[in-house]
Amino acid sequence: MNLSLNDYLEELRPLINVDCGTYTVDGIAFIANEMAAKYAAMNGWSIKQVDCGKAGIGLEVRNKPDAEDIDVLLLGHMDTVFPVGTAAERPMTTDATKAYGPGVSDMKSGLLNVVYALRHIDQSVLDELSICVCMNPDEETGSLYSVDWIQATAKQAKHVLVAEAARADGGLVKARKGMARYKMTFKGKAAHAGNEPEKGRSAITEMANWILATNAMTNFESGTTLNVGVVAGGAGANIVPDLATAIVDVRFWDNSEYDHVDTALNGMTQTPFVDGVSIELTREAYKPSMVPTEQTQALMTLVEESAQELAIKINWKEAGGGSDANNTAILGVPTLDGLGPIGAGFHSADEYLLLESIEPRIQLLMRVLTKLAENKNQARN
């Protein structure tokens, strides 16, 4: 494959220069239509739109839609974290070494790398493997409206490769922390703080007790951390507050330890610290942790061999942030992440894509798919 970098960047540009933050459904639809057109131009691919509710549409693309099993599921997301107006404010630009713009590495270039890999791979690989590409519209907010579809598809898959960006030093991701986010709403009773404070029930006092109890659940040794990151409440210093809210971020390596945290938090709603205050606990986001299994180790070895053959330096990372890899790994399906080109500065105005990494990472993806096809053929014969 001889990549024309200019052609690649011109194909990438329209994917960057449109607002497609999560729930910006018109922008998501534009990306979906762009991606669908690319696969439609590559004969032999079945393209299906998936209704993801208020998040918009997802795309499922398969070369063998009637196959019972999926040999390789390739995952990516179409949304970004950026608000409407960002694309006009800072459209895609390039310099001698990098491309910049909202979503340039997280993860429009990953989506495009998958297209390039499947465009240029040998037909014999496509004949051998059942491949499915899923592109969802809401990964950046936890895949709330697409997780059921992603997991139902992954249950048919033998391997999952997620095309999120490789890390700045070329690292791929073998493990990711799980995450959960809760909103806590405390409802008390207002009263005048000077005339009759005893008639009030302070929602803020209840929240303060919860913050201390929540902090106490953190276990740095095991990697389970709880962070009360946002709080609000009260209408004036002379009023016993009747409403307060807090938002808590939970990160963890051990899924069973998280289950204990979840049980503890829900149990606390039944025993308020302040009599007369009620607590509503809502889990707004959740992704289980992604931890390598023995089968994942075999897939890692295959990726390492592929990289060595191409003289590409890679290493393995354990990441604190989540992705859709978390949602497939929990099913026991061998899952690796970071198969896209190298980037950094995700979720910021400094986000960039390293231009020299584009072609090698396309080649790496092609080599991994080719090896999986060879292994399948050998196992059959």
Side-chain angles (χ1 to χ4, degrees):
M1 183 190 79
N2 291 315
L3 178 75
S4 165
L5 184 58
N6 283 338
D7 288 349
Y8 180 98
L9 292 175
E10 287 312 302
E11 205 168 340
L12 180 63
R13 193 178 303 278
L15 305 178
I16 308 302
N17 293 350
V18 61
D19 289 317
C20 52
T22 318
Y23 307 126
T24 309
V25 293
D26 289 348
I28 295 291
F30 175 85
I31 300 296
N33 289 334
E34 286 280 305
M35 300 309 298
K38 296 180 194 308
Y39 284 97
M42 299 155 51
N43 293 327
W45 292 90
S46 164
I47 303 161
K48 181 175 78 173
Q49 283 194 358
V50 179
D51 182 1
C52 294
K54 66 181 286 188
I57 58 172
L59 274 187
E60 182 175 316
V61 183
R62 297 183 61 163
N63 67 330
K64 298 182 180 182
D66 298 325
E68 196 171 307
D69 294 324
I70 296 168
D71 292 305
V72 185
L73 173 60
L74 296 160
L75 283 184
H77 63 87
M78 298 182 286
D79 59 325
T80 71
V81 298
F82 300 104
V84 171
T86 306
E89 184 181 309
R90 47 184 189 88
M92 187 177 118
T93 59
T94 58
D95 59 24
T97 59
K98 299 181 181 78
Y100 307 89
V104 70
S105 55
D106 185 19
M107 60 168 291
K108 297 305 188 302
S109 55
L111 296 180
L112 191 56
N113 268 31
V114 171
V115 170
Y116 267 72
L118 296 176
R119 262 184 201 160
H120 293 97
I121 204 161
D122 193 275
Q123 183 62 40
S124 63
V125 176
L126 298 178
D127 291 341
E128 185 68 52
L129 295 179
S130 167
I131 297 173
C132 178
V133 185
C134 286
M135 291 165 271
N136 61 333
D138 61 341
E139 188 276 340
E140 294 292 7
T141 55
S143 304
L144 295 177
Y145 294 91
S146 60
V147 65
D148 290 345
W149 158 51
I150 295 293
Q151 289 190 321
T153 308
K155 285 176 182 175
Q156 300 175 264
K158 297 175 183 176
H159 309 90
V160 177
L161 301 175
V162 182
E164 294 268 14
R167 294 316 196 246
D169 65 352
L172 281 73
V173 180
K174 67 174 182 177
R176 284 183 178 273
K177 272 192 169 184
M179 68 80 62
R181 186 174 63 248
Y182 295 87
K183 182 176 183 180
M184 301 168 172
T185 304
F186 306 93
K187 296 179 180 178
K189 183 180 180 183
H192 192 287
N195 292 333
E196 45 188 14
E198 72 281 357
K199 292 186 178 180
R201 297 291 182 268
S202 173
I204 288 180
T205 299
E206 180 69 23
M207 178 177 70
N209 279 283
W210 272 68
I211 291 171
L212 294 174
T214 299
N215 289 347
M217 293 182 195
T218 285
N219 183 338
F220 289 117
E221 287 186 8
S222 66
T224 297
T225 58
L226 291 86
N227 179 63
V228 182
V230 181
V231 296
N238 62 341
I239 304 169
V240 176
D242 64 348
L243 181 65
T245 58
I247 298 178
V248 183
D249 178 274
V250 186
R251 303 284 166 148
F252 52 92
W253 287 117
D254 187 327
N255 287 309
S256 63
E257 190 166 304
Y258 163 70
D259 289 340
H260 291 305
V261 168
D262 182 67
T263 299
L265 289 173
N266 279 284
M268 285 168 59
T269 64
Q270 304 304 309
T271 55
F273 293 89
V274 178
D275 288 340
V277 176
S278 63
I279 306 101
E280 181 182 314
L281 183 71
T282 305
R283 190 171 76 175
E284 296 184 323
Y286 167 70
K287 281 180 180 174
S289 65
M290 169 194 176
V291 181
T293 63
E294 284 186 26
Q295 290 84 356
T296 311
Q297 295 289 347
L299 184 56
M300 289 170 63
T301 299
L302 185 145
V303 172
E304 289 165 3
E305 291 171 353
S306 300
Q308 287 170 2
E309 291 168 8
L310 295 167
I312 296 172
K313 291 183 179 179
I314 65 167
N315 58 81
W316 297 104
K317 300 290 189 192
E318 296 180 341
S323 82
D324 281 313
N326 300 57
N327 291 323
T328 61
I330 192 67
L331 303 174
V333 185
T335 300
L336 292 176
D337 199 351
L339 273 294
I342 293 172
F346 315 129
H347 298 191
S348 79
D350 300 322
E351 180 179 2
Y352 71 81
L353 164 67
L354 192 64
L355 300 181
E356 68 179 13
S357 75
I358 294 169
E359 184 169 5
R361 295 296 162 141
I362 295 170
Q363 292 176 334
L364 178 61
L365 192 52
M366 292 170 64
R367 183 66 60 94
V368 169
L369 293 173
T370 300
K371 280 185 170 294
L372 288 170
E374 290 170 351
N375 289 353
K376 183 183 178 185
N377 183 272
Q378 289 170 6
R380 189 175 60 249
N381 296 324

